[in-house]
């Protein structure tokens, strides 16, 4: 975990770290940043824990992996899906939205965080779905 607070007298520090259950980020970012009682989870793509890209898999397989990756980040941050505050979902084909919504509904159960859905032209590695979230820390 890296503390990026501004030293003595800082109002609150920010910590950045990665989930040990996932492959390290491929770019200059962290899986998770925490600050002020919140965990900010970077966009999760359909990448297997070993880093294998799943963009050629069916949409449902990609979506399930994205949600599993989100779980791994929430656990690493010391929180859980029940503490999600906001979720942003990016899909490259809005026709896949009903399938995602059903998987998401099953994954979350009665929890209903704020949510936005954006149809986008493309995602990294040719992925069909990406999810970014914010959760309260326990």
């Amino acid at each position: 975990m890296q503390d990026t607070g501004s030293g003595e007298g800082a109002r609150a520090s920010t910590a950045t770290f990665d989930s040990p259950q996932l492959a390290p980020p491929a770019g200059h970012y962290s899986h998770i940043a925490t600050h002020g009682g919140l965990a900010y989870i970077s966009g999760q793509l359909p990448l297997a824990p070993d880093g294998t890209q799943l963009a050629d898999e069916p949409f449902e397989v990609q979506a399930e992996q994205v949600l599993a990756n989100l779980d791994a980040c929430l656990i690493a941050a010391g929180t859980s899906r029940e503490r999600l505050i906001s979720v942003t979902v990016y899909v490259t084909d809005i026709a896949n939205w009903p399938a995602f919504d059903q998987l998401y509904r099953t994954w979350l159960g009665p929890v209903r965080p704020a949510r936005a859905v954006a149809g986008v032209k493309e995602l990294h590695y040719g992925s069909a779905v990406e999810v970014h979230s914010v959760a309260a820390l326990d």
Side-chain angles (χ1 to χ4, degrees), residues 19-135:
S19 169
Q21 296 177 18
L22 301 176
H28 186 69
Y29 68 95
S30 298
H31 290 144
I32 305 144
T34 59
H35 180 84
L38 298 173
Y40 299 85
I41 311 297
S42 292
Q44 295 301 304
L45 292 165
L47 300 174
D50 66 0
T52 301
Q53 300 169 16
L54 303 180
D56 292 333
E57 296 295 328
F59 179 81
E60 290 79 3
V61 171
Q62 291 188 50
E64 288 172 352
Q65 186 63 59
V66 164
L67 295 174
N69 293 350
L70 179 52
D71 263 339
C73 289
L74 291 167
I75 290 166
T79 190
S80 66
R81 61 180 86 157
E82 292 79 15
R83 305 278 289 153
L84 284 166
I85 295 169
S86 177
V87 176
T88 304
V89 182
Y90 304 95
V91 292
T92 57
D93 184 349
I94 205 69
N96 285 324
W97 177 245
F100 182 86
D101 192 54
Q102 185 56 50
L103 287 167
Y104 180 81
R105 178 185 313 258
T106 300
W107 180 75
L108 271 178
V111 178
R112 296 178 59 182
R115 182 178 74 186
V117 178
V120 297
K121 181 179 176 183
E122 61 186 322
L123 292 167
H124 205 50
Y125 306 124
S127 301
V129 60
E130 180 173 357
V131 175
H132 166 266
S133 66
V134 178

